[in-house]
Amino acid sequence: MQEKYTDAKPTNSAKKGGEEVKILDGKSLALQIKEEIANEVRQLTADGHRAPHLAAIIVGNDGASQTYVASKEKSSHEVGFTSSVYRMSESTSEQQLLESIEFLNSDPDIDGFIVQLPLPKHIDEQKIINAISPNKDVDGFTPINVGRMVLGQECFVPATPMGICTLLKRNGIETEGKHCVVIGRSNIVGTPVANLLSRKGFDCTVTLCHSRTRNLAELTRQADILIVAIGKPEFVTADMVKPGAVVIDVGIHRIPDESKKSGYRIIGDVKHQEVDPLCSWVTPVPGGVGPLTIVSLLENTLLAYKRNNK
Ligand code: NAD
């Protein structure tokens, strides 16, 4: 039996070409879930417990990474978590970073932490991820958590795939027996989301496409659910989408735009102008998958807090 979630109704929809296109509004859903987490934290602290604590390590001055960490910190505060950010210089050695990780691993007041990627070139990313305690690995990137996820065991699921699953579930989208095509096989998005959606509870038949896939459009046109995590601006066009499909756009790209105060606008991996009218459901960019990614990290932190304080 597939789980059905009917608590969150689609918060937005638009008539396009006579057909109803429903917007998978990640922004509203994220607010709703944050409120649920905040209520739980309020109850915990009212009962005399400490608040959950999420920490982040950031190495270097990469602009996008600074923005991501700042919004994780802001969201942590919004739900009442304690949050710490450890800022390390670009020249930090691998050994120094490993020592900081060891420090966070053994600090009983920190429930979960992330190491913001990418790391400077002289640091071996996998070695760093491997050093994170699986019990505090709220990004779900350590081999132990990835292995547990693949085996369907208790684990921390990576935030973006988890956010995609939440969007589907909380909007009551049927997945059982549906053909889901995923474009992109990265370790943080494509591969885990393909795994999760093929498992019991979602029960999709999944096709995982990547840079060596032949006849990509032929495959994507068969998708009832199309998940796009390719990292190429507006790659998916109308001729690649089956009418009535659910389209989840994971891509985030900053495009210069002088008409905007910020000087840029955000677009995704899907050409929304022409694809959206074909869809039954579609995620906007921005405001679709992105907000759910951060919320999933908060959910994992709350889970770590509960597991580590049993
Ligand atoms: P990545 O670059 O690690 O992986 C891209 C994948 O696309 C690769 O597996 C590659 O095989 C595949 N690919 C490349 N060219 C292809 C082609 N022509 N045909 C088929 N497959 C092809 O990307 P990623 O880290 O998974 O991120 C993808 C996008 O999602 C990026 O735009 C990224 O910024 C965005 N992202 C968004 C969030 C969020 O919270 N919304 C989170 C993570 C990533």
Side-chain angles (χ1 to χ4, degrees):
M1 267 284 275
Q2 188 185 1
E3 284 180 88
K4 294 264 187 313
Y5 289 75
T6 49
D7 55 336
K9 299 277 176 282
T11 47
N12 200 356
S13 66
K15 278 242 185 241
K16 292 193 178 176
E19 290 294 316
E20 192 87 352
V21 179
K22 292 178 190 140
I23 306 300
L24 285 164
D25 183 348
K27 207 171 160 188
S28 300
L29 182 54
L31 281 175
Q32 186 183 325
I33 298 174
K34 272 194 204 166
E35 196 45 47
E36 292 166 13
I37 298 173
N39 284 337
E40 218 175 320
V41 174
R42 266 193 290 274
Q43 191 57 55
L44 281 166
T45 48
D47 291 345
H49 301 288
R50 69 164 174 83
H53 188 164
L54 173 64
I57 300 181
I58 178 163
V59 184
N61 302 311
D62 179 70
S65 294
Q66 300 281 352
T67 310
Y68 290 141
V69 168
S71 65
K72 287 167 190 173
E73 198 180 10
K74 181 168 168 267
S75 296
S76 290
H77 288 143
E78 282 167 358
V79 297
F81 286 2
T82 307
S83 147
S84 322
V85 179
Y86 295 81
R87 296 176 199 283
M88 304 180 77
S89 80
E90 184 80 25
S91 60
T92 300
S93 70
E94 195 173 271
Q95 188 52 36
Q96 285 168 322
L97 183 52
L98 287 169
E99 282 163 17
S100 301
I101 288 172
E102 209 31 65
F103 174 77
L104 298 186
N105 280 344
S106 54
D107 183 341
D109 286 338
I110 288 176
D111 301 293
F113 67 96
I114 60 148
V115 178
Q116 185 64 43
L117 303 178
L119 292 168
K121 295 254 180 301
H122 63 278
I123 298 178
D124 180 345
E125 222 160 77
Q126 198 55 55
K127 196 167 170 187
I128 296 302
I129 291 170
N130 291 355
I132 299 171
S133 161
N135 299 332
K136 295 192 176 188
D137 168 30
V138 285
D139 256 341
F141 289 166
T142 58
I144 299 273
N145 275 311
V146 175
R148 286 179 184 156
M149 183 191 68
V150 171
L151 294 170
Q153 296 176 359
E154 193 175 86
C155 66
F156 294 112
V157 172
T160 304
M162 182 169 161
I164 294 169
C165 293
T166 303
L167 268 175
L168 293 170
K169 272 192 204 166
R170 292 264 200 148
N171 285 284
I173 292 176
E174 275 289 332
T175 53
E176 189 180 331
K178 302 283 181 188
H179 186 191
C180 172
V181 176
V182 179
I183 316 183
R185 59 177 163 187
S186 73
N187 288 341
I188 62 164
V189 189
T191 296
V193 82
N195 176 265
L196 291 166
L197 292 181
S198 69
R199 301 194 66 83
K200 277 209 180 307
F202 287 102
D203 299 293
C204 288
T205 303
V206 178
T207 302
L208 179 55
C209 303
H210 46 77
S211 52
R212 302 298 169 97
T213 296
R214 294 187 189 153
N215 304 324
L216 182 68
E218 243 171 60
L219 292 164
T220 59
R221 275 197 296 271
Q222 293 171 34
D224 302 310
I225 300 171
L226 179 61
I227 299 181
V228 192
I230 185 174
K232 294 185 194 257
E234 300 189 331
F235 180 88
V236 169
T237 45
D239 56 318
M240 298 171 75
V241 177
K242 176 166 88 173
V246 175
V247 175
I248 310 277
D249 184 357
V250 185
I252 303 179
H253 309 276
R254 274 185 184 191
I255 300 293
D257 185 342
E258 282 174 10
S259 72
K260 302 277 176 198
K261 215 169 109 188
S262 59
Y264 66 86
R265 69 194 157 93
I266 306 282
I267 63 166
D269 286 351
V270 172
K271 203 164 191 175
H272 284 273
Q273 214 175 1
E274 59 180 65
V275 168
D276 287 9
L278 291 170
C279 302
S280 55
W281 291 88
V282 67
T283 56
V285 176
V289 175
L292 264 298
T293 294
I294 294 192
V295 157
S296 301
L297 181 67
L298 301 176
E299 288 183 292
N300 274 345
T301 305
L302 187 56
L303 198 62
Y305 172 91
K306 289 176 185 167
R307 284 184 188 158
N308 297 340
N309 290 292
K310 263 184 194 160

